[in-house]
Amino acid sequence: MTKLFRNGLLALAFVGGLLFAAVYCSNPRLKPPELAISGPVRSPAEVLTESNLELFFKVIAAHPRHRVPEFQGGGKTPTAEASLPAEAMAKQLKVGFREQFDSRRQAALWSQDSRWTKAFASQQTTANDFAALVSIVSCAVMREQIDQLLQDPHELEAQASKEIEEYVAQIKAQEGKTDRASIRKRTTASIQLSHATALQVFAEMLAAVPEANIALVRKHKARLTPLLPGDFADRAAKFMAP
């Protein structure tokens, strides 16, 4: 079992801390979006073009920080209702993590930030389109890093699915029991189920990245690297370490 399965929270930390970050953490005036989410769902499976990547670079250059914006879907880490049956808990968690990784949430945040809205306007793009572009580019960069570390996101996804089945079985085994030991076992399995689900959704995103996108970010790696967090490579290696 890999290190990231022993600590499933690394999946969330890596997505939130490396690919993107909470804009409202550094700007308390911004409120986590809840209902202000609109537009079609966008996927890391969309094919990037040279013109897409040029727009990505131009918008970043138009922002005072000149760095890849860090992403967080907004709100708290997804949880499931403890009273739900095990299978329902697993489904609720998966929906929650997919929503948290939805680029439209970040777009709703950026729409409240005048620095970003000015950057979008300067390049005639929108918060929704740019947030989707950041997500697609970031997933491609992450996938390129994983490929170098000889990790297969399809295998990670399969392993996460297996872990989910195991934790669901553990939770079901404690249903109806009210003694302290059983409650403790159910709580522990529920936490592990959350970690495994986060990893499964993350792996699904990376598995969807087209080879063309990986090749494109590799081609422009010299331009992309200075825009990423300074410890990107170190954290990538730590995340995927056996």
Side-chain angles (χ1 to χ4, degrees):
M1 185 177 294
T2 62
K3 184 176 181 179
L4 84 170
F5 277 94
R6 289 197 300 271
N7 187 355
L9 275 179
L10 282 173
L12 281 181
F14 200 57
V15 173
L18 285 182
L19 299 185
F20 324 98
V23 171
Y24 55 85
C25 284
S26 58
N27 188 344
R29 293 175 299 175
L30 300 183
K31 298 179 180 179
E34 295 192 9
L35 300 179
I37 298 174
S38 61
V41 176
R42 304 291 290 276
S43 166
E46 292 186 32
V47 176
L48 282 171
T49 65
E50 290 280 356
S51 61
N52 294 151
L53 207 51
E54 284 304 318
L55 174 62
F56 175 82
F57 287 127
K58 287 178 180 178
V59 173
I60 292 171
H63 189 275
R65 290 192 64 221
H66 306 302
R67 297 293 296 272
V68 173
E70 297 176 341
F71 180 103
Q72 181 174 342
K76 298 179 181 179
T77 299
T79 57
E81 296 177 31
S83 60
L84 288 175
E87 290 90 346
M89 288 179 66
K91 290 180 180 178
Q92 189 176 77
L93 283 167
K94 190 162 189 177
V95 169
F97 282 114
R98 281 177 171 168
E99 289 178 349
Q100 189 163 37
F101 296 150
D102 190 335
S103 64
R104 296 174 300 173
R105 290 184 177 273
Q106 188 63 46
L109 283 173
W110 287 338
S111 295
Q112 302 176 56
D113 189 323
S114 61
R115 296 172 301 174
W116 279 116
T117 55
K118 288 177 182 177
F120 302 148
S122 72
Q123 301 304 321
Q124 298 181 323
T125 191
T126 66
N128 275 342
D129 286 343
F130 184 69
L133 183 55
V134 170
S135 178
I136 294 165
V137 171
S138 297
C139 284
V141 170
M142 187 66 234
R143 177 63 186 274
E144 198 269 341
Q145 290 283 332
I146 287 179
D147 284 357
Q148 287 188 47
L149 295 167
L150 303 179
Q151 294 285 337
D152 184 346
H154 295 89
E155 291 183 3
L156 294 179
E157 182 183 351
Q159 192 170 352
S161 297
K162 182 179 179 181
E163 292 273 318
I164 288 171
E165 290 180 3
E166 292 176 1
Y167 297 137
V168 165
Q170 290 176 24
I171 293 169
K172 290 179 70 173
Q174 305 307 320
E175 288 178 356
K177 299 178 180 179
T178 57
D179 58 283
R180 286 187 178 182
S182 296
I183 292 173
R184 184 166 57 250
K185 289 178 182 178
R186 179 181 171 89
T187 300
T188 299
S190 298
I191 293 171
Q192 292 170 326
L193 175 63
S194 177
H195 296 174
T197 304
L199 181 60
Q200 182 190 51
V201 174
F202 177 47
E204 286 176 352
M205 292 168 60
L206 298 188
V209 175
E211 290 295 327
N213 291 11
I214 300 171
L216 187 61
V217 298
R218 185 176 294 128
K219 175 183 175 181
H220 292 277
K221 196 167 185 175
R223 295 177 68 188
L224 283 165
T225 299
L227 305 178
L228 299 171
D231 59 351
F232 182 88
D234 290 342
R235 292 175 71 179
K238 181 179 179 181
F239 177 71
M240 289 298 170

